[in-house]
């Protein structure tokens, strides 16, 4: 098993370089002249190392901050916030079939097949995890892992993360990182100039919904902190006039009722943007727009493709691609998705962020997706 060190702070010191603050996991070792690898497989040599003095005697050594100075051949800084002591290798975790524990969930059968060609893949029972128990099957894995499966509420993901860590398996995103990009309030403020105006409640009280909507005008979309019911467009998603309290009451009321126990956080009202249309969904009559899903890994674009099946080819100008790269570089998580759409005036807008582990591939081919991970440690 490779030792995994999370970067928790970066401090640039003039004339000396960047100091990276980490902690040394229990049982791990770190010495001057050791070689570490970032998430993109770039190599760094430990040039300096110092454990911070903390005047609290009961803090274990492995929890104390450690400052390290790194050097690399090309003078770059590490991509992402993970350093690996030893060659970078990425494992994958999938949900198993509810009835056949040693088989993968049917919806992830193709991903599991392709991932297994080049990566170690373990399975776990989502149903057992809901009861607080971690049941693992498939390959025996340790070290860095990426989960590919169904969405989890933050508390469930935190339990998942902690139980895996006890077995020497470290998920690529911490519970804090998962929550930041899985829930809209976590990422909205930093990217509010590049996304639709949004307001939200804490909880699902209709009086609170009316209160946050009183200053709004025009058309709005209703969702919770994670998902909308966009395939119930006219019944539980789209509010044509947010000043129409009867319409707000009907659409939001339907949304709350139909989400039921799956409602996460509170009610979000997001301004409806006029997007470049590609038609309408056959069943729900939901408008289909020019939209893209971008997977961001360690602050860089990993893969990108159309969101909707049958949509036209990707059409980014060089300037737009640089804008997407700038968005990726600002992300404070190792693995996320950014969903983009093109407005009627031709500009791009952020529609949504998501944790990359629980985001569907949409039109990205499994071979492209898992091949991109493989190339990270074939340098």
């Amino acid at each position: 098993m490779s030792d995994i060190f999370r970067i928790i702070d970066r401090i640039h010191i003039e004339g000396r370089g960047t100091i990276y603050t980490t902690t040394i996991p229990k049982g791990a070792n770190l010495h001057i002249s050791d070689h570490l690898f970032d998430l993109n497989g770039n190599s760094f040599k430990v040039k300096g190392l110092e454990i911070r003095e903390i005047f609290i005697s009961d803090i274990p050594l492995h929890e104390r901050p450690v400052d390290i100075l790194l050097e690399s051949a090309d003078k770059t800084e590490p991509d992402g916030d993970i350093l690996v002591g030893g060659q970078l290798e990425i494992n994958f975790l999938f949900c198993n079939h509810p009835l056949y524990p040693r088989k993968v969930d049917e919806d992830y059968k193709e991903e599991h097949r392709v991932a297994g060609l080049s990566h170690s893949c373990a399975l776990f029972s989502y149903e057992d995890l809901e009861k607080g128990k971690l049941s693992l099957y498939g390959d025996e894995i340790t070290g860095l892992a990426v989960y590919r499966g169904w969405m989890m509420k933050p508390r469930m993901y935190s339990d998942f993360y902690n139980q895996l860590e006890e077995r020497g398996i470290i998920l690529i995103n911490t519970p804090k990182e998962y929550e930041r990009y899985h829930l809209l309030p976590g990422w909205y403020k930093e990217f509010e100039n590049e996304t639709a105006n949004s307001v939200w409640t804490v909880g699902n009280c209709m009086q609170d919904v009316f209160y946050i909507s009183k200053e709004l005008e025009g058309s709005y979309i209703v969702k919770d902190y994670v998902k909308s019911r966009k395939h119930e467009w006219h019944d539980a998603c789209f509010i044509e006039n947010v000043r129409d309290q009867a319409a707000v009451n009907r659409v939001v009321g339907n949304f709350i009722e139909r989400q039921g126990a799956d409602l996460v956080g509170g009610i979000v009202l997001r301004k409806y943007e006029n997007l470049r249309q590609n038609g309408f969904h056959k069943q729900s009559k939901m408008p289909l727009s020019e939209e893209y899903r971008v997977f961001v890994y360690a602050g860089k674009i990993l893969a990108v493709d159309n969101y909707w099946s049958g949509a036209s080819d990707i059409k980014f100008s060089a300037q737009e691609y640089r804008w997407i790269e700038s968005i990726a570089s600002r992300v404070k998580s190792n693995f996320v998705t950014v969903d983009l759409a093109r407005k009627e005036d031709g500009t791009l807008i952020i529609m949504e962020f998501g944790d990359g582990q629980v985001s569907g591939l949409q039109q990205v081919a499994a071979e492209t997706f898992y091949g991109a991970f493989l190339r990270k440690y074939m340098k």
Side-chain angles (χ1 to χ4, degrees), residues 278-320:
N278 285 329
F280 294 88
H281 192 273
K282 289 182 180 179
Q283 282 77 40
S284 68
K285 307 305 179 184
M286 174 187 70
L288 303 181
S289 308
E290 184 182 328
E291 297 182 52
Y292 304 96
R293 170 152 289 179
V294 182
F295 282 90
V296 175
Y297 171 85
K300 303 288 178 63
I301 296 171
L302 179 79
V304 57
D305 211 335
N306 297 290
Y307 191 95
W308 297 110
S309 178
S312 57
D313 293 336
I314 297 172
K315 298 176 181 178
F316 294 144
S317 67
Q319 183 178 0
E320 287 172 339

Side-chain angles (χ1 to χ4, degrees), residues 35-161:
H35 283 270
L36 303 176
F37 294 85
D38 70 8
L39 289 175
N40 281 318
N42 301 308
S43 176
F44 299 85
K45 183 179 178 180
V46 179
K47 188 177 179 181
L49 185 154
E50 182 178 351
I51 298 177
R52 290 189 189 177
E53 289 291 337
I54 295 183
F55 301 104
I56 304 176
S57 60
D58 61 349
I59 294 182
L61 187 63
H62 68 274
E63 294 181 7
R64 298 185 184 187
V66 177
D67 293 330
I68 58 176
L69 186 64
L70 303 174
E71 64 177 5
S72 65
D74 56 4
K75 308 296 182 184
T76 59
E77 292 202 2
D79 293 330
D81 288 324
I82 286 178
L83 295 169
V84 178
Q87 190 66 39
L88 175 68
E89 187 172 346
I90 304 170
N91 307 292
F92 288 88
L93 272 161
F94 293 89
C95 302
N96 67 4
H97 192 290
L99 300 179
Y100 308 102
R102 299 188 182 277
K103 291 186 178 182
V104 71
D105 187 294
E106 283 292 326
D107 287 313
Y108 286 89
K109 191 173 181 178
E110 177 63 7
E111 282 197 44
H112 181 262
R113 182 192 70 79
V114 175
L117 297 176
S118 308
H119 307 269
S120 295
C121 298
L123 305 176
F124 77 99
S125 169
Y126 190 96
E127 290 72 23
D128 283 356
L129 188 65
E130 288 181 306
K131 301 170 187 174
K133 178 185 176 183
L134 179 63
S135 302
L136 292 175
Y137 307 90
D139 295 340
E140 291 187 8
I141 64 173
T142 57
L144 186 64
V146 173
Y147 165 51
R148 290 294 300 153
W150 304 115
M151 290 183 179
M152 298 179 180
K153 291 185 178 180
R155 180 174 294 181
M156 183 175 174
Y157 182 84
S158 182
D159 290 343
F160 188 42
Y161 183 95

Side-chain angles (χ1 to χ4, degrees), residues 1-6 22-30 61-63 165 170:
M1 171 186 171
S2 297
D3 295 332
I4 296 173
F5 308 93
R6 287 196 182 273
T22 184
T23 57
I24 299 178
K26 208 170 191 178
N29 293 293
L30 186 62
L61 187 63
H62 68 274
E63 294 181 7
E165 187 176 36
I170 310 299

Side-chain angles (χ1 to χ4, degrees), residues 153 204 224 229 252-265 267:
K153 291 185 178 180
N204 59 3
D224 64 16
R229 299 186 72 87
V252 176
N254 285 342
F255 176 82
I256 292 171
E257 180 183 0
R258 296 175 190 184
Q259 282 294 89
D262 293 329
L263 193 148
V264 179
I267 302 301

